[in-house]
Amino acid sequence: MVKKGKAVKQVATAAQLLERAETLVDQLQPELAIKFFQKAAALEPNNSEIYDAIGELATEIGDPHTALQAFLKSIDVAPKHNPGKYLYAAQLVQGEESEKFALQGIAHMSASLAHVPDHLDESKLLKKQICDAYCSLGELYMSDLWYVVASTSQHLSYRSWRSDAHDAEAKCEHYLQEALKFDLGLPDATQAMANFRLVQQRTDEAIAFLDETLKRLNACDEHTMPSLEFRIVTGKLLVEVEKFEQAAYVLEGVMQEDDENAEVWFLVGSCYNALEDYDTALEFLERCEAMLSKLQKDMGDEFELDQQLDTVRSLIESIKQIEPVGDDDGDNDQDME
């Protein structure tokens, strides 16, 4: 009698694991996809593209440790392949280490750009990546230049210099000027320069860059339109230079895509208040108050926006106390009689 042997368990190949991982990505299961990519990496430890995939997915799901380890492994295995991984790594660390990764990425991308004809899409992509990297470096040093004391009622800012800011200012200027050299007409570099000029208290130049940023935003299509966060920052900068009408325009555009951000409702309401369109201001501010009040009720003791809610309510009350112009005219007519 022949004994039946145990079935031999087949081991999946790297190609099969990668195929399964890609399927899971398409099915919006990034956590599970990462596990299959990691199994594939164990079989192909010199395949940098697998580590890049792990890093990008881990970044998307908010797992910075896994992301950084994957990008570092990719850099070690293939330092020149996919230089964009250096920019990912730069976002996952801080200070001088972030600057080091960003500059390494820029160096590799610049070397690649030298061999790519200008008319190709690859050239445009590399230029945009380099521009974005320089903007990030500028913002890295911009944070060392100032601190903001916010006016809670008007959402305006007053900036103060730190005594040791001179070196940071020079580096910020250098990096943002480099960003402009690779500018493709998108709003990123001009917005960064506008912010920097405000830090330097060079308001007229900041306004010029903001005007250009707004022009570029209006020219963007669905493929080039920057993120909602970017546009909110643009709106805040416009508020800071008292371009309230333009700020409201940008921020209301944001609301067409996301109308659940209470801060945006407050900002737009503040703009209309500054423009003395009080009815419209109340409409936005009261919606903001309702959103924050609901959040306060839902969160209970965990609610941490009491000061902001008080500010909104105070502004609403101050607007309601403003006497309509028509009533003043009527009173004057009666007095004349």
Side-chain angles (χ1 to χ4, degrees):
M1 182 176 180
V2 179
K3 293 183 178 180
K4 293 183 178 180
K6 292 183 178 179
V8 178
K9 184 178 181 180
Q10 291 186 339
V11 178
T13 65
Q16 291 171 327
L17 292 168
L18 290 173
E19 183 179 0
R20 178 59 176 155
E22 294 291 352
T23 299
L24 290 167
V25 171
D26 293 338
Q27 294 174 348
L28 304 180
Q29 299 184 64
E31 294 89 350
L32 192 55
I34 287 174
K35 293 181 179 180
F36 277 87
F37 276 124
Q38 289 171 332
K39 290 179 180 180
L43 298 178
E44 294 188 3
N46 293 321
N47 188 337
S48 65
E49 293 184 359
I50 299 177
Y51 299 117
D52 292 340
I54 294 171
E56 291 176 19
L57 282 175
T59 300
E60 290 177 9
I61 65 173
D63 183 355
H65 176 75
T66 299
L68 181 58
Q69 294 307 309
F71 287 127
L72 291 177
K73 184 65 176 177
S74 177
I75 289 170
D76 181 59
V77 169
K80 294 183 180 180
H81 183 69
N82 182 25
K85 61 193 172 190
Y86 289 94
L87 306 186
Y88 274 108
Q91 295 174 3
L92 296 167
V93 294
Q94 297 179 343
E96 293 181 358
E97 192 176 9
S98 177
E99 182 180 22
K100 179 192 74 174
F101 280 126
L103 289 175
Q104 286 177 326
I106 289 170
H108 286 299
M109 288 186 288
S110 297
S112 299
L113 182 62
H115 302 288
V116 179
D118 284 342
H119 67 278
L120 294 182
D121 288 342
E122 183 183 355
S123 173
K124 295 178 181 179
L125 176 60
L126 285 168
K127 287 179 180 178
K128 185 181 186 308
Q129 288 179 317
I130 294 172
C131 180
D132 290 345
Y134 275 126
C135 285
S136 296
L137 285 170
E139 291 168 2
L140 178 68
Y141 279 96
M142 205 182 306
S143 64
D144 290 336
L145 291 177
W146 54 273
Y147 63 88
V148 176
V149 179
S151 168
T152 56
S153 61
Q154 297 296 327
H155 213 85
L156 301 180
S157 301
Y158 302 92
R159 299 162 183 265
S160 300
W161 291 99
R162 292 180 179 176
S163 60
D164 58 348
H166 298 294
D167 183 56
E169 181 183 5
K171 283 198 171 186
C172 187
E173 180 77 38
H174 168 71
Y175 287 137
L176 293 183
Q177 291 294 345
E178 288 298 309
L180 289 173
K181 293 179 182 178
F182 296 91
D183 176 31
L184 294 174
L186 297 174
D188 306 74
T190 52
Q191 190 218 64
M193 282 299 300
N195 196 11
F196 182 46
R197 291 296 182 244
L198 281 174
V199 171
Q200 296 175 305
Q201 300 179 346
R202 293 158 63 174
T203 306
D204 290 343
E205 294 176 57
I207 290 173
F209 277 114
L210 279 173
D211 288 342
E212 179 63 23
T213 300
L214 189 57
K215 177 182 176 182
R216 294 181 177 199
L217 272 177
N218 290 334
C220 286
D221 58 24
E222 60 180 357
H223 302 294
T224 57
M225 181 64 70
S227 67
L228 296 178
E229 181 181 359
F230 179 95
R231 283 177 273 165
I232 291 173
V233 171
T234 301
K236 289 179 178 180
L237 293 175
L238 288 165
V239 169
E240 188 162 349
V241 298
E242 299 184 1
K243 281 184 166 284
F244 300 112
E245 186 174 351
Q246 293 90 332
Y249 170 78
V250 171
L251 294 168
E252 287 184 87
V254 169
M255 295 173 70
Q256 291 178 6
E257 299 177 44
D258 177 14
D259 63 355
E260 297 299 321
N261 188 325
E263 182 187 23
V264 176
W265 285 89
F266 171 75
L267 287 169
V268 176
S270 298
C271 288
Y272 282 114
N273 179 49
L275 293 168
E276 299 183 356
D277 183 349
Y278 300 120
D279 289 339
T280 306
L282 281 175
E283 177 185 343
F284 283 91
L285 292 170
E286 287 174 346
R287 174 64 183 273
C288 176
E289 180 191 20
M291 294 171 71
L292 290 177
S293 296
K294 182 179 185 303
L295 189 62
Q296 183 185 49
K297 181 179 179 181
D298 293 342
M299 296 184 66
D301 294 338
E302 296 181 2
F303 184 74
E304 298 180 350
L305 300 174
D306 296 283
Q307 184 176 354
Q308 288 85 341
L309 181 55
D310 289 342
T311 297
V312 175
R313 287 171 173 168
S314 176
L315 185 54
I316 290 173
E317 187 61 30
S318 67
I319 293 174
K320 287 182 176 180
Q321 291 178 359
I322 297 174
E323 292 185 0
V325 175
D327 289 354
D328 290 341
D329 291 340
D331 292 341
N332 291 335
D333 291 341
Q334 291 178 1
D335 292 341
M336 290 176 66
E337 292 176 0

